[in-house]
Amino acid sequence: MGFIGDIGGFIATPLYYAISAVLLAWHELFTLVGLDPDGGSAWALSIIGLTLTIRALLIPLFVKQIKSSRNMQLIQPQVRELQKKYGHDRERLAQETMKLYKDSGTNPFASCLPILLQMPIFFTLFRLLDQAAKNNTAHGFLTVDLARSFGQSRIFGNIPISESFWAARTWGPTPDGLVMVLALILVLSMTATTFLTQRQLMAKNMPADALSGPYAQQQKMLLYVLPVAFGLGGVAFPVGVLLYWTTSNIWTMGQQFYVIRNNPAPGTPAAAAKAERDRAKARKHGAVVEEATESVPEPPRPATRQQPKRMTKQQRKGSAPPNKGGRK
């Protein structure tokens, strides 16, 4: 157990320093603008600032995620053809599918990268806040005084950001009751934003032929499984950590909305909506808009028969063949 703990500490230590550095930078900024350094508002806003900083750094990975997700949608008809052709041979099907992924530049695991990279940050922030609240334990750049200030800070008057829904479990106009109300609001917000983000992707940025098959079934499963998982796990997380995760979800939803609206996948409802907006914008500026219609080649016309010119009697006599055999 000691060896495993050493490995965990070796991995967590750089994260403690990175997260605490960003957190304290935001805290210093909010202190300079006049907020109480020991108040919950300064620390809560610092958590939001930490979230925005992390999500901004993850934008390149999010772009890769969007591209990979789009490619996965577009190659679904080819995947289904491979399944029909090699359904009896699982090994050959796997080989041909991986070849298709490689040829199309698709990484089926790229869509998981942002959330996989956020999970260590999420749990490091949880441990940072939990230990600061319980033992005044300092990690990273946090000093003992800053750890005490962070762990004991309160928002909305008397709600500790280190308390969780499950730890409070006392309804009523008491601090614990208010913790449960705020934590429940954040858990429901986290669940709703997770659901709406996934629903937005399926409803607007998936072509009709990609709404069936294994990939579509996987997306439908995630649509309901992820919100439930986050909802059940959220009751054990402190208010400060829920604030981080809810802010991150709102960022994801807004970022995805922007990408889908301005760069939708071909053949999707979002692409049709963008084309209509572009036509409306062109009409507004007085441009001539041609409706997109499929060009159908015209069938070849039959060759026109050349009619002979009418000749006069004199012309016919002059063009008559010479008389043979002396006949007049």
Side-chain angles (χ1 to χ4, degrees), residues 130-142:
D130 185 63
Q131 293 199 358
K134 292 179 178 178
N135 308 315
N136 297 328
T137 302
H139 289 290
F141 291 107
L142 282 175

Side-chain angles (χ1 to χ4, degrees), residues 254-268:
Q255 186 173 244
Q256 182 173 272
F257 175 81
Y258 176 83
V259 172
I260 290 176
R261 179 180 173 83
N262 294 282
N263 192 21
T268 62

Side-chain angles (χ1 to χ4, degrees), residues 47-85:
I47 292 174
I48 294 176
L50 169 69
T51 310
L52 299 180
T53 302
I54 292 171
R55 292 313 308 265
L57 293 174
L58 290 178
I59 285 177
L61 286 179
F62 180 80
V63 172
K64 288 185 178 180
Q65 176 191 17
I66 289 293
K67 289 181 178 179
S68 176
S69 178
R70 176 177 298 176
N71 288 341
M72 286 290 290
Q73 296 167 17
L74 296 178
I75 66 174
Q76 285 311 296
Q78 296 167 265
V79 171
R80 285 196 292 272
E81 289 298 323
L82 291 178
Q83 291 170 345
K84 291 178 182 178
K85 188 175 181 180

Side-chain angles (χ1 to χ4, degrees), residues 34-289:
L35 294 181
D36 180 6
D38 294 325
S41 298
W43 286 111
L45 290 174
S46 298
I47 292 174
I48 294 176
L50 169 69
T51 310
L52 299 180
T53 302
I54 292 171
R55 292 313 308 265
L57 293 174
L58 290 178
I59 285 177
L61 286 179
F62 180 80
V63 172
K64 288 185 178 180
Q65 176 191 17
I66 289 293
K67 289 181 178 179
S68 176
S69 178
R70 176 177 298 176
N71 288 341
M72 286 290 290
Q73 296 167 17
L74 296 178
I75 66 174
Q76 285 311 296
Q78 296 167 265
V79 171
R80 285 196 292 272
E81 289 298 323
L82 291 178
Q83 291 170 345
K84 291 178 182 178
K85 188 175 181 180
Y86 302 109
H88 60 283
D89 188 346
R90 290 184 176 275
E91 184 177 353
R92 181 68 183 278
L93 176 60
Q95 292 174 354
E96 294 295 329
T97 303
M98 293 306 297
K99 184 177 181 297
L100 176 61
Y101 288 157
K102 183 179 180 180
D103 293 342
S104 61
T106 303
N107 183 356
F109 303 106
S111 58
C112 303
L113 285 178
I115 192 170
L116 288 178
L117 288 178
Q118 281 195 88
M119 292 311 293
I121 299 171
F122 179 79
F123 286 112
T124 302
L125 178 62
F126 168 75
R127 189 168 177 82
L128 200 73
L129 179 57
D130 185 63
Q131 293 199 358
K134 292 179 178 178
N135 308 315
N136 297 328
T137 302
H139 289 290
F141 291 107
L142 282 175
T143 63
V144 174
D145 291 337
L146 287 171
R148 183 183 300 109
S149 174
F150 183 41
Q152 296 178 359
S153 59
R154 296 170 181 265
I155 57 177
F156 301 119
N158 205 21
I159 301 178
I161 66 171
S162 60
E163 195 67 87
S164 68
F165 179 95
W166 188 252
R169 288 180 291 179
T170 303
W171 293 101
T174 63
D176 285 344
L178 295 176
V179 167
M180 293 190 73
V181 172
L182 180 58
L184 183 61
I185 292 173
L186 290 174
V187 168
L188 292 177
S189 300
M190 182 175 64
T191 303
T193 49
T194 302
F195 177 83
L196 292 175
T197 300
Q198 191 66 20
R199 177 66 179 169
Q200 177 181 244
L201 178 65
M202 293 186 62
K204 295 184 177 181
N205 207 41
M206 288 186 70
D209 55 0
L211 292 174
S212 60
Y215 181 73
Q217 295 302 319
Q218 176 189 0
Q219 295 297 312
K220 290 177 182 178
M221 181 181 68
L222 293 177
L223 177 64
Y224 297 102
V225 171
L226 284 181
V228 172
F230 288 140
L232 293 177
V235 298
F237 293 125
V239 168
V241 177
L242 292 177
L243 192 61
Y244 168 87
W245 201 252
T246 304
T247 305
S248 181
N249 279 3
I250 293 173
W251 173 289
T252 301
M253 187 167 63
Q255 186 173 244
Q256 182 173 272
F257 175 81
Y258 176 83
V259 172
I260 290 176
R261 179 180 173 83
N262 294 282
N263 192 21
T268 62
K274 184 178 186 301
E276 181 59 34
R277 289 195 306 272
D278 291 342
R279 288 194 290 268
K281 185 177 179 181
R283 285 193 295 266
K284 183 178 179 181
H285 289 81
V288 178
V289 181

